[in-house]
Amino acid sequence: MNDRPVIAVLVSGSGSNLQAIIDASERREIPGRIGLVLSNKADAYGLERARKHGIPTAVVDHKAFGSREAFDAKLVEVIRASGAVLVCLAGFMRVVTPVFLRAFPHRILNIHPALLPSFPGTHGPAQALRYGVRFSGCTVHFLDEGVDTGPIIVQAVVPVHEDDTEETLAARILKEEHRIYPMAIRLFLEGRLTVEGRKVSAKDAEKIPDFSRRNPDV
Ligand code: GRF
């Protein structure tokens, strides 16, 4: 079991995406195992979720560092020590610097609760509601130097209902996040992704059950 490639997951909060990745790994739906859950917040519930599954955890408090670069250098050190070949940001609420990006080129994934390039940054569901779009969704992408601008791997779409609040829309989107994040990780770990500029090709992605870049039946 321990020769499965190691994933590091970075969280700042609830960690429901982390849970989806843990579950997919335990069900062998992705070929990797989580070898580290790292948080910048000691009270992140994601850490608790990791402990329940016997996954090693680490806390690196950004407030203890004099610069973003120094914080990122510590993250890199801790992640490297875990042997991770893939880094997944899952509700990690820090903007990272090139120190972090360059340590893991094309090996860092992020999930965002909107159909990028619409509504980057914080409060994706609230931004979508305010704008009045009929559909929103979520995006798994490679991290690059911008905020939510990296090459897109998988997206899923959800409708926006007349009576939606930020909470109801966010919950509908989150359900799709839990479906597509493990999917993107699987594509990555199976070596099926190639990136050329902004374009990501996913070899034989349609063979993955439930793979969807179209509007799902919701
Ligand atoms: C998700 O909506 C994710 O898209 C965003 O932060 C939220 C994290 O939720 N980046 P959780 O901690 O995985 O429950």
mmCIF file with all atom_site columns, all heavy atoms in Angstrom, residues 13-40:
data_model
loop_
_atom_site.group_PDB
_atom_site.id
_atom_site.type_symbol
_atom_site.label_atom_id
_atom_site.label_alt_id
_atom_site.label_comp_id
_atom_site.label_asym_id
_atom_site.label_entity_id
_atom_site.label_seq_id
_atom_site.pdbx_PDB_ins_code
_atom_site.Cartn_x
_atom_site.Cartn_y
_atom_site.Cartn_z
_atom_site.occupancy
_atom_site.B_iso_or_equiv
_atom_site.pdbx_formal_charge
_atom_site.auth_seq_id
_atom_site.auth_comp_id
_atom_site.auth_asym_id
_atom_site.auth_atom_id
_atom_site.pdbx_PDB_model_num
ATOM 1   N N   . GLY A 1 13 ? -9.784  25.098 6.443  1.00 0.00 ? 13 GLY A N   1
ATOM 2   C CA  . GLY A 1 13 ? -11.088 25.084 7.106  1.00 0.00 ? 13 GLY A CA  1
ATOM 3   C C   . GLY A 1 13 ? -11.679 23.703 7.225  1.00 0.00 ? 13 GLY A C   1
ATOM 4   O O   . GLY A 1 13 ? -11.006 22.752 7.622  1.00 0.00 ? 13 GLY A O   1
ATOM 5   N N   . SER A 1 14 ? -12.943 23.600 6.827  1.00 0.00 ? 14 SER A N   1
ATOM 6   C CA  . SER A 1 14 ? -13.743 22.400 7.059  1.00 0.00 ? 14 SER A CA  1
ATOM 7   C C   . SER A 1 14 ? -13.146 21.130 6.436  1.00 0.00 ? 14 SER A C   1
ATOM 8   O O   . SER A 1 14 ? -13.233 20.046 7.001  1.00 0.00 ? 14 SER A O   1
ATOM 9   C CB  . SER A 1 14 ? -15.143 22.653 6.500  1.00 0.00 ? 14 SER A CB  1
ATOM 10  O OG  . SER A 1 14 ? -15.692 21.470 6.018  1.00 0.00 ? 14 SER A OG  1
ATOM 11  N N   . GLY A 1 15 ? -12.599 21.268 5.249  1.00 0.00 ? 15 GLY A N   1
ATOM 12  C CA  . GLY A 1 15 ? -11.960 20.096 4.635  1.00 0.00 ? 15 GLY A CA  1
ATOM 13  C C   . GLY A 1 15 ? -12.920 19.087 4.042  1.00 0.00 ? 15 GLY A C   1
ATOM 14  O O   . GLY A 1 15 ? -12.604 17.906 3.970  1.00 0.00 ? 15 GLY A O   1
ATOM 15  N N   . SER A 1 16 ? -14.078 19.544 3.562  1.00 0.00 ? 16 SER A N   1
ATOM 16  C CA  . SER A 1 16 ? -14.989 18.565 2.955  1.00 0.00 ? 16 SER A CA  1
ATOM 17  C C   . SER A 1 16 ? -14.415 18.036 1.636  1.00 0.00 ? 16 SER A C   1
ATOM 18  O O   . SER A 1 16 ? -14.623 16.875 1.281  1.00 0.00 ? 16 SER A O   1
ATOM 19  C CB  . SER A 1 16 ? -16.389 19.138 2.762  1.00 0.00 ? 16 SER A CB  1
ATOM 20  O OG  . SER A 1 16 ? -16.403 20.108 1.754  1.00 0.00 ? 16 SER A OG  1
ATOM 21  N N   . ASN A 1 17 ? -13.663 18.875 0.913  1.00 0.00 ? 17 ASN A N   1
ATOM 22  C CA  . ASN A 1 17 ? -12.980 18.354 -0.280 1.00 0.00 ? 17 ASN A CA  1
ATOM 23  C C   . ASN A 1 17 ? -11.897 17.349 0.107  1.00 0.00 ? 17 ASN A C   1
ATOM 24  O O   . ASN A 1 17 ? -11.727 16.330 -0.561 1.00 0.00 ? 17 ASN A O   1
ATOM 25  C CB  . ASN A 1 17 ? -12.379 19.502 -1.095 1.00 0.00 ? 17 ASN A CB  1
ATOM 26  C CG  . ASN A 1 17 ? -13.404 20.131 -2.023 1.00 0.00 ? 17 ASN A CG  1
ATOM 27  O OD1 . ASN A 1 17 ? -13.807 19.529 -3.010 1.00 0.00 ? 17 ASN A OD1 1
ATOM 28  N ND2 . ASN A 1 17 ? -13.852 21.329 -1.682 1.00 0.00 ? 17 ASN A ND2 1
ATOM 29  N N   . LEU A 1 18 ? -11.186 17.655 1.173  1.00 0.00 ? 18 LEU A N   1
ATOM 30  C CA  . LEU A 1 18 ? -10.210 16.694 1.688  1.00 0.00 ? 18 LEU A CA  1
ATOM 31  C C   . LEU A 1 18 ? -10.893 15.354 1.942  1.00 0.00 ? 18 LEU A C   1
ATOM 32  O O   . LEU A 1 18 ? -10.385 14.292 1.568  1.00 0.00 ? 18 LEU A O   1
ATOM 33  C CB  . LEU A 1 18 ? -9.586  17.226 2.989  1.00 0.00 ? 18 LEU A CB  1
ATOM 34  C CG  . LEU A 1 18 ? -8.850  16.189 3.831  1.00 0.00 ? 18 LEU A CG  1
ATOM 35  C CD1 . LEU A 1 18 ? -7.584  15.707 3.131  1.00 0.00 ? 18 LEU A CD1 1
ATOM 36  C CD2 . LEU A 1 18 ? -8.518  16.748 5.218  1.00 0.00 ? 18 LEU A CD2 1
ATOM 37  N N   . GLN A 1 19 ? -12.079 15.415 2.585  1.00 0.00 ? 19 GLN A N   1
ATOM 38  C CA  . GLN A 1 19 ? -12.804 14.178 2.897  1.00 0.00 ? 19 GLN A CA  1
ATOM 39  C C   . GLN A 1 19 ? -13.128 13.399 1.620  1.00 0.00 ? 19 GLN A C   1
ATOM 40  O O   . GLN A 1 19 ? -12.998 12.171 1.579  1.00 0.00 ? 19 GLN A O   1
ATOM 41  C CB  . GLN A 1 19 ? -14.091 14.514 3.651  1.00 0.00 ? 19 GLN A CB  1
ATOM 42  C CG  . GLN A 1 19 ? -14.808 13.283 4.213  1.00 0.00 ? 19 GLN A CG  1
ATOM 43  C CD  . GLN A 1 19 ? -13.992 12.624 5.332  1.00 0.00 ? 19 GLN A CD  1
ATOM 44  O OE1 . GLN A 1 19 ? -13.624 13.279 6.291  1.00 0.00 ? 19 GLN A OE1 1
ATOM 45  N NE2 . GLN A 1 19 ? -13.724 11.329 5.199  1.00 0.00 ? 19 GLN A NE2 1
ATOM 46  N N   . ALA A 1 20 ? -13.536 14.127 0.587  1.00 0.00 ? 20 ALA A N   1
ATOM 47  C CA  . ALA A 1 20 ? -13.855 13.463 -0.687 1.00 0.00 ? 20 ALA A CA  1
ATOM 48  C C   . ALA A 1 20 ? -12.609 12.768 -1.254 1.00 0.00 ? 20 ALA A C   1
ATOM 49  O O   . ALA A 1 20 ? -12.698 11.673 -1.821 1.00 0.00 ? 20 ALA A O   1
ATOM 50  C CB  . ALA A 1 20 ? -14.400 14.480 -1.688 1.00 0.00 ? 20 ALA A CB  1
ATOM 51  N N   . ILE A 1 21 ? -11.462 13.404 -1.076 1.00 0.00 ? 21 ILE A N   1
ATOM 52  C CA  . ILE A 1 21 ? -10.214 12.805 -1.594 1.00 0.00 ? 21 ILE A CA  1
ATOM 53  C C   . ILE A 1 21 ? -9.824  11.593 -0.734 1.00 0.00 ? 21 ILE A C   1
ATOM 54  O O   . ILE A 1 21 ? -9.405  10.546 -1.249 1.00 0.00 ? 21 ILE A O   1
ATOM 55  C CB  . ILE A 1 21 ? -9.079  13.855 -1.633 1.00 0.00 ? 21 ILE A CB  1
ATOM 56  C CG1 . ILE A 1 21 ? -9.478  15.038 -2.526 1.00 0.00 ? 21 ILE A CG1 1
ATOM 57  C CG2 . ILE A 1 21 ? -7.782  13.228 -2.149 1.00 0.00 ? 21 ILE A CG2 1
ATOM 58  C CD1 . ILE A 1 21 ? -8.584  16.275 -2.373 1.00 0.00 ? 21 ILE A CD1 1
ATOM 59  N N   . ILE A 1 22 ? -9.971  11.729 0.583  1.00 0.00 ? 22 ILE A N   1
ATOM 60  C CA  . ILE A 1 22 ? -9.693  10.586 1.484  1.00 0.00 ? 22 ILE A CA  1
ATOM 61  C C   . ILE A 1 22 ? -10.575 9.394  1.080  1.00 0.00 ? 22 ILE A C   1
ATOM 62  O O   . ILE A 1 22 ? -10.101 8.266  0.916  1.00 0.00 ? 22 ILE A O   1
ATOM 63  C CB  . ILE A 1 22 ? -9.980  10.950 2.965  1.00 0.00 ? 22 ILE A CB  1
ATOM 64  C CG1 . ILE A 1 22 ? -8.991  11.991 3.486  1.00 0.00 ? 22 ILE A CG1 1
ATOM 65  C CG2 . ILE A 1 22 ? -9.956  9.694  3.840  1.00 0.00 ? 22 ILE A CG2 1
ATOM 66  C CD1 . ILE A 1 22 ? -9.324  12.528 4.886  1.00 0.00 ? 22 ILE A CD1 1
ATOM 67  N N   . ASP A 1 23 ? -11.861 9.669  0.899  1.00 0.00 ? 23 ASP A N   1
ATOM 68  C CA  . ASP A 1 23 ? -12.803 8.586  0.589  1.00 0.00 ? 23 ASP A CA  1
ATOM 69  C C   . ASP A 1 23 ? -12.453 7.935  -0.753 1.00 0.00 ? 23 ASP A C   1
ATOM 70  O O   . ASP A 1 23 ? -12.464 6.711  -0.877 1.00 0.00 ? 23 ASP A O   1
ATOM 71  C CB  . ASP A 1 23 ? -14.244 9.116  0.563  1.00 0.00 ? 23 ASP A CB  1
ATOM 72  C CG  . ASP A 1 23 ? -14.707 9.588  1.939  1.00 0.00 ? 23 ASP A CG  1
ATOM 73  O OD1 . ASP A 1 23 ? -14.045 9.245  2.950  1.00 0.00 ? 23 ASP A OD1 1
ATOM 74  O OD2 . ASP A 1 23 ? -15.725 10.309 2.013  1.00 0.00 ? 23 ASP A OD2 1
ATOM 75  N N   . ALA A 1 24 ? -12.124 8.773  -1.739 1.00 0.00 ? 24 ALA A N   1
ATOM 76  C CA  . ALA A 1 24 ? -11.788 8.231  -3.061 1.00 0.00 ? 24 ALA A CA  1
ATOM 77  C C   . ALA A 1 24 ? -10.520 7.378  -2.977 1.00 0.00 ? 24 ALA A C   1
ATOM 78  O O   . ALA A 1 24 ? -10.408 6.337  -3.636 1.00 0.00 ? 24 ALA A O   1
ATOM 79  C CB  . ALA A 1 24 ? -11.595 9.369  -4.056 1.00 0.00 ? 24 ALA A CB  1
ATOM 80  N N   . SER A 1 25 ? -9.569  7.815  -2.140 1.00 0.00 ? 25 SER A N   1
ATOM 81  C CA  . SER A 1 25 ? -8.328  7.067  -1.992 1.00 0.00 ? 25 SER A CA  1
ATOM 82  C C   . SER A 1 25 ? -8.598  5.735  -1.295 1.00 0.00 ? 25 SER A C   1
ATOM 83  O O   . SER A 1 25 ? -8.086  4.685  -1.705 1.00 0.00 ? 25 SER A O   1
ATOM 84  C CB  . SER A 1 25 ? -7.332  7.914  -1.201 1.00 0.00 ? 25 SER A CB  1
ATOM 85  O OG  . SER A 1 25 ? -6.231  7.141  -0.821 1.00 0.00 ? 25 SER A OG  1
ATOM 86  N N   . GLU A 1 26 ? -9.424  5.784  -0.246 1.00 0.00 ? 26 GLU A N   1
ATOM 87  C CA  . GLU A 1 26 ? -9.723  4.542  0.482  1.00 0.00 ? 26 GLU A CA  1
ATOM 88  C C   . GLU A 1 26 ? -10.515 3.566  -0.388 1.00 0.00 ? 26 GLU A C   1
ATOM 89  O O   . GLU A 1 26 ? -10.370 2.361  -0.251 1.00 0.00 ? 26 GLU A O   1
ATOM 90  C CB  . GLU A 1 26 ? -10.474 4.864  1.786  1.00 0.00 ? 26 GLU A CB  1
ATOM 91  C CG  . GLU A 1 26 ? -9.536  5.547  2.788  1.00 0.00 ? 26 GLU A CG  1
ATOM 92  C CD  . GLU A 1 26 ? -10.160 5.774  4.158  1.00 0.00 ? 26 GLU A CD  1
ATOM 93  O OE1 . GLU A 1 26 ? -11.381 5.588  4.312  1.00 0.00 ? 26 GLU A OE1 1
ATOM 94  O OE2 . GLU A 1 26 ? -9.396  6.150  5.078  1.00 0.00 ? 26 GLU A OE2 1
ATOM 95  N N   . ARG A 1 27 ? -11.339 4.105  -1.285 1.00 0.00 ? 27 ARG A N   1
ATOM 96  C CA  . ARG A 1 27 ? -12.101 3.230  -2.200 1.00 0.00 ? 27 ARG A CA  1
ATOM 97  C C   . ARG A 1 27 ? -11.271 2.826  -3.418 1.00 0.00 ? 27 ARG A C   1
ATOM 98  O O   . ARG A 1 27 ? -11.787 2.186  -4.330 1.00 0.00 ? 27 ARG A O   1
ATOM 99  C CB  . ARG A 1 27 ? -13.360 3.962  -2.681 1.00 0.00 ? 27 ARG A CB  1
ATOM 100 C CG  . ARG A 1 27 ? -14.442 4.106  -1.617 1.00 0.00 ? 27 ARG A CG  1
ATOM 101 C CD  . ARG A 1 27 ? -15.789 4.446  -2.262 1.00 0.00 ? 27 ARG A CD  1
ATOM 102 N NE  . ARG A 1 27 ? -15.734 5.712  -2.981 1.00 0.00 ? 27 ARG A NE  1
ATOM 103 C CZ  . ARG A 1 27 ? -16.173 6.880  -2.496 1.00 0.00 ? 27 ARG A CZ  1
ATOM 104 N NH1 . ARG A 1 27 ? -16.717 6.932  -1.296 1.00 0.00 ? 27 ARG A NH1 1
ATOM 105 N NH2 . ARG A 1 27 ? -16.085 7.974  -3.211 1.00 0.00 ? 27 ARG A NH2 1
ATOM 106 N N   . ARG A 1 28 ? -10.026 3.269  -3.452 1.00 0.00 ? 28 ARG A N   1
ATOM 107 C CA  . ARG A 1 28 ? -9.111  2.978  -4.574 1.00 0.00 ? 28 ARG A CA  1
ATOM 108 C C   . ARG A 1 28 ? -9.614  3.570  -5.890 1.00 0.00 ? 28 ARG A C   1
ATOM 109 O O   . ARG A 1 28 ? -9.303  3.042  -6.964 1.00 0.00 ? 28 ARG A O   1
ATOM 110 C CB  . ARG A 1 28 ? -8.890  1.468  -4.742 1.00 0.00 ? 28 ARG A CB  1
ATOM 111 C CG  . ARG A 1 28 ? -8.375  0.791  -3.497 1.00 0.00 ? 28 ARG A CG  1
ATOM 112 C CD  . ARG A 1 28 ? -6.903  0.970  -3.387 1.00 0.00 ? 28 ARG A CD  1
ATOM 113 N NE  . ARG A 1 28 ? -6.464  0.740  -2.019 1.00 0.00 ? 28 ARG A NE  1
ATOM 114 C CZ  . ARG A 1 28 ? -5.251  0.376  -1.663 1.00 0.00 ? 28 ARG A CZ  1
ATOM 115 N NH1 . ARG A 1 28 ? -4.330  0.205  -2.563 1.00 0.00 ? 28 ARG A NH1 1
ATOM 116 N NH2 . ARG A 1 28 ? -4.911  0.221  -0.413 1.00 0.00 ? 28 ARG A NH2 1
ATOM 117 N N   . GLU A 1 29 ? -10.350 4.641  -5.809 1.00 0.00 ? 29 GLU A N   1
ATOM 118 C CA  . GLU A 1 29 ? -10.786 5.308  -7.043 1.00 0.00 ? 29 GLU A CA  1
ATOM 119 C C   . GLU A 1 29 ? -9.699  6.239  -7.574 1.00 0.00 ? 29 GLU A C   1
ATOM 120 O O   . GLU A 1 29 ? -9.754  6.683  -8.712 1.00 0.00 ? 29 GLU A O   1
ATOM 121 C CB  . GLU A 1 29 ? -12.079 6.096  -6.790 1.00 0.00 ? 29 GLU A CB  1
ATOM 122 C CG  . GLU A 1 29 ? -13.282 5.204  -6.614 1.00 0.00 ? 29 GLU A CG  1
ATOM 123 C CD  . GLU A 1 29 ? -14.490 5.919  -6.063 1.00 0.00 ? 29 GLU A CD  1
ATOM 124 O OE1 . GLU A 1 29 ? -14.502 7.162  -5.980 1.00 0.00 ? 29 GLU A OE1 1
ATOM 125 O OE2 . GLU A 1 29 ? -15.439 5.210  -5.675 1.00 0.00 ? 29 GLU A OE2 1
ATOM 126 N N   . ILE A 1 30 ? -8.748  6.579  -6.704 1.00 0.00 ? 30 ILE A N   1
ATOM 127 C CA  . ILE A 1 30 ? -7.561  7.281  -7.182 1.00 0.00 ? 30 ILE A CA  1
ATOM 128 C C   . ILE A 1 30 ? -6.355  6.442  -6.764 1.00 0.00 ? 30 ILE A C   1
ATOM 129 O O   . ILE A 1 30 ? -6.375  5.794  -5.719 1.00 0.00 ? 30 ILE A O   1
ATOM 130 C CB  . ILE A 1 30 ? -7.449  8.724  -6.611 1.00 0.00 ? 30 ILE A CB  1
ATOM 131 C CG1 . ILE A 1 30 ? -7.542  8.754  -5.092 1.00 0.00 ? 30 ILE A CG1 1
ATOM 132 C CG2 . ILE A 1 30 ? -8.489  9.630  -7.212 1.00 0.00 ? 30 ILE A CG2 1
ATOM 133 C CD1 . ILE A 1 30 ? -7.361  10.137 -4.494 1.00 0.00 ? 30 ILE A CD1 1
ATOM 134 N N   . PRO A 1 31 ? -5.319  6.457  -7.587 1.00 0.00 ? 31 PRO A N   1
ATOM 135 C CA  . PRO A 1 31 ? -4.207  5.546  -7.314 1.00 0.00 ? 31 PRO A CA  1
ATOM 136 C C   . PRO A 1 31 ? -3.227  6.054  -6.261 1.00 0.00 ? 31 PRO A C   1
ATOM 137 O O   . PRO A 1 31 ? -2.198  5.425  -6.058 1.00 0.00 ? 31 PRO A O   1
ATOM 138 C CB  . PRO A 1 31 ? -3.536  5.410  -8.686 1.00 0.00 ? 31 PRO A CB  1
ATOM 139 C CG  . PRO A 1 31 ? -3.863  6.664  -9.405 1.00 0.00 ? 31 PRO A CG  1
ATOM 140 C CD  . PRO A 1 31 ? -5.177  7.143  -8.884 1.00 0.00 ? 31 PRO A CD  1
ATOM 141 N N   . GLY A 1 32 ? -3.520  7.156  -5.597 1.00 0.00 ? 32 GLY A N   1
ATOM 142 C CA  . GLY A 1 32 ? -2.579  7.691  -4.608 1.00 0.00 ? 32 GLY A CA  1
ATOM 143 C C   . GLY A 1 32 ? -3.121  7.597  -3.189 1.00 0.00 ? 32 GLY A C   1
ATOM 144 O O   . GLY A 1 32 ? -4.280  7.254  -2.974 1.00 0.00 ? 32 GLY A O   1
ATOM 145 N N   . ARG A 1 33 ? -2.243  7.920  -2.236 1.00 0.00 ? 33 ARG A N   1
ATOM 146 C CA  . ARG A 1 33 ? -2.681  8.001  -0.843 1.00 0.00 ? 33 ARG A CA  1
ATOM 147 C C   . ARG A 1 33 ? -2.263  9.355  -0.287 1.00 0.00 ? 33 ARG A C   1
ATOM 148 O O   . ARG A 1 33 ? -1.246  9.921  -0.711 1.00 0.00 ? 33 ARG A O   1
ATOM 149 C CB  . ARG A 1 33 ? -2.074  6.876  -0.007 1.00 0.00 ? 33 ARG A CB  1
ATOM 150 C CG  . ARG A 1 33 ? -0.589  7.021  0.161  1.00 0.00 ? 33 ARG A CG  1
ATOM 151 C CD  . ARG A 1 33 ? 0.001   5.897  0.997  1.00 0.00 ? 33 ARG A CD  1
ATOM 152 N NE  . ARG A 1 33 ? 1.451   6.005  1.003  1.00 0.00 ? 33 ARG A NE  1
ATOM 153 C CZ  . ARG A 1 33 ? 2.162   6.661  1.927  1.00 0.00 ? 33 ARG A CZ  1
ATOM 154 N NH1 . ARG A 1 33 ? 1.548   7.250  2.946  1.00 0.00 ? 33 ARG A NH1 1
ATOM 155 N NH2 . ARG A 1 33 ? 3.478   6.738  1.840  1.00 0.00 ? 33 ARG A NH2 1
ATOM 156 N N   . ILE A 1 34 ? -3.026  9.854  0.650  1.00 0.00 ? 34 ILE A N   1
ATOM 157 C CA  . ILE A 1 34 ? -2.679  11.141 1.243  1.00 0.00 ? 34 ILE A CA  1
ATOM 158 C C   . ILE A 1 34 ? -1.643  10.890 2.333  1.00 0.00 ? 34 ILE A C   1
ATOM 159 O O   . ILE A 1 34 ? -1.890  10.150 3.285  1.00 0.00 ? 34 ILE A O   1
ATOM 160 C CB  . ILE A 1 34 ? -3.922  11.844 1.822  1.00 0.00 ? 34 ILE A CB  1
ATOM 161 C CG1 . ILE A 1 34 ? -4.979  12.017 0.724  1.00 0.00 ? 34 ILE A CG1 1
ATOM 162 C CG2 . ILE A 1 34 ? -3.547  13.204 2.410  1.00 0.00 ? 34 ILE A CG2 1
ATOM 163 C CD1 . ILE A 1 34 ? -6.296  12.574 1.202  1.00 0.00 ? 34 ILE A CD1 1
ATOM 164 N N   . GLY A 1 35 ? -0.465  11.489 2.158  1.00 0.00 ? 35 GLY A N   1
ATOM 165 C CA  . GLY A 1 35 ? 0.611   11.267 3.128  1.00 0.00 ? 35 GLY A CA  1
ATOM 166 C C   . GLY A 1 35 ? 0.805   12.440 4.050  1.00 0.00 ? 35 GLY A C   1
ATOM 167 O O   . GLY A 1 35 ? 1.606   12.376 4.997  1.00 0.00 ? 35 GLY A O   1
ATOM 168 N N   . LEU A 1 36 ? 0.060   13.526 3.797  1.00 0.00 ? 36 LEU A N   1
ATOM 169 C CA  . LEU A 1 36 ? 0.193   14.724 4.625  1.00 0.00 ? 36 LEU A CA  1
ATOM 170 C C   . LEU A 1 36 ? -1.034  15.613 4.441  1.00 0.00 ? 36 LEU A C   1
ATOM 171 O O   . LEU A 1 36 ? -1.452  15.863 3.312  1.00 0.00 ? 36 LEU A O   1
ATOM 172 C CB  . LEU A 1 36 ? 1.439   15.529 4.204  1.00 0.00 ? 36 LEU A CB  1
ATOM 173 C CG  . LEU A 1 36 ? 1.597   16.908 4.860  1.00 0.00 ? 36 LEU A CG  1
ATOM 174 C CD1 . LEU A 1 36 ? 1.903   16.775 6.353  1.00 0.00 ? 36 LEU A CD1 1
ATOM 175 C CD2 . LEU A 1 36 ? 2.698   17.714 4.163  1.00 0.00 ? 36 LEU A CD2 1
ATOM 176 N N   . VAL A 1 37 ? -1.585  16.052 5.567  1.00 0.00 ? 37 VAL A N   1
ATOM 177 C CA  . VAL A 1 37 ? -2.568  17.144 5.526  1.00 0.00 ? 37 VAL A CA  1
ATOM 178 C C   . VAL A 1 37 ? -1.958  18.297 6.292  1.00 0.00 ? 37 VAL A C   1
ATOM 179 O O   . VAL A 1 37 ? -1.596  18.157 7.470  1.00 0.00 ? 37 VAL A O   1
ATOM 180 C CB  . VAL A 1 37 ? -3.938  16.726 6.114  1.00 0.00 ? 37 VAL A CB  1
ATOM 181 C CG1 . VAL A 1 37 ? -4.858  17.935 6.243  1.00 0.00 ? 37 VAL A CG1 1
ATOM 182 C CG2 . VAL A 1 37 ? -4.588  15.676 5.223  1.00 0.00 ? 37 VAL A CG2 1
ATOM 183 N N   . LEU A 1 38 ? -1.797  19.405 5.599  1.00 0.00 ? 38 LEU A N   1
ATOM 184 C CA  . LEU A 1 38 ? -1.109  20.557 6.176  1.00 0.00 ? 38 LEU A CA  1
ATOM 185 C C   . LEU A 1 38 ? -2.085  21.721 6.260  1.00 0.00 ? 38 LEU A C   1
ATOM 186 O O   . LEU A 1 38 ? -2.853  21.957 5.323  1.00 0.00 ? 38 LEU A O   1
ATOM 187 C CB  . LEU A 1 38 ? 0.072   20.917 5.269  1.00 0.00 ? 38 LEU A CB  1
ATOM 188 C CG  . LEU A 1 38 ? 1.096   21.925 5.770  1.00 0.00 ? 38 LEU A CG  1
ATOM 189 C CD1 . LEU A 1 38 ? 2.386   21.761 4.962  1.00 0.00 ? 38 LEU A CD1 1
ATOM 190 C CD2 . LEU A 1 38 ? 0.621   23.339 5.638  1.00 0.00 ? 38 LEU A CD2 1
ATOM 191 N N   . SER A 1 39 ? -2.055  22.428 7.375  1.00 0.00 ? 39 SER A N   1
ATOM 192 C CA  . SER A 1 39 ? -2.928  23.598 7.508  1.00 0.00 ? 39 SER A CA  1
ATOM 193 C C   . SER A 1 39 ? -2.156  24.769 8.079  1.00 0.00 ? 39 SER A C   1
ATOM 194 O O   . SER A 1 39 ? -1.196  24.591 8.838  1.00 0.00 ? 39 SER A O   1
ATOM 195 C CB  . SER A 1 39 ? -4.113  23.271 8.436  1.00 0.00 ? 39 SER A CB  1
ATOM 196 O OG  . SER A 1 39 ? -4.960  24.406 8.518  1.00 0.00 ? 39 SER A OG  1
ATOM 197 N N   . ASN A 1 40 ? -2.581  25.965 7.717  1.00 0.00 ? 40 ASN A N   1
ATOM 198 C CA  . ASN A 1 40 ? -2.025  27.173 8.340  1.00 0.00 ? 40 ASN A CA  1
ATOM 199 C C   . ASN A 1 40 ? -2.798  27.525 9.604  1.00 0.00 ? 40 ASN A C   1
ATOM 200 O O   . ASN A 1 40 ? -2.453  28.465 10.295 1.00 0.00 ? 40 ASN A O   1
ATOM 201 C CB  . ASN A 1 40 ? -2.059  28.351 7.354  1.00 0.00 ? 40 ASN A CB  1
ATOM 202 C CG  . ASN A 1 40 ? -3.468  28.701 6.911  1.00 0.00 ? 40 ASN A CG  1
ATOM 203 O OD1 . ASN A 1 40 ? -4.264  27.809 6.616  1.00 0.00 ? 40 ASN A OD1 1
ATOM 204 N ND2 . ASN A 1 40 ? -3.791  29.972 6.872  1.00 0.00 ? 40 ASN A ND2 1
#
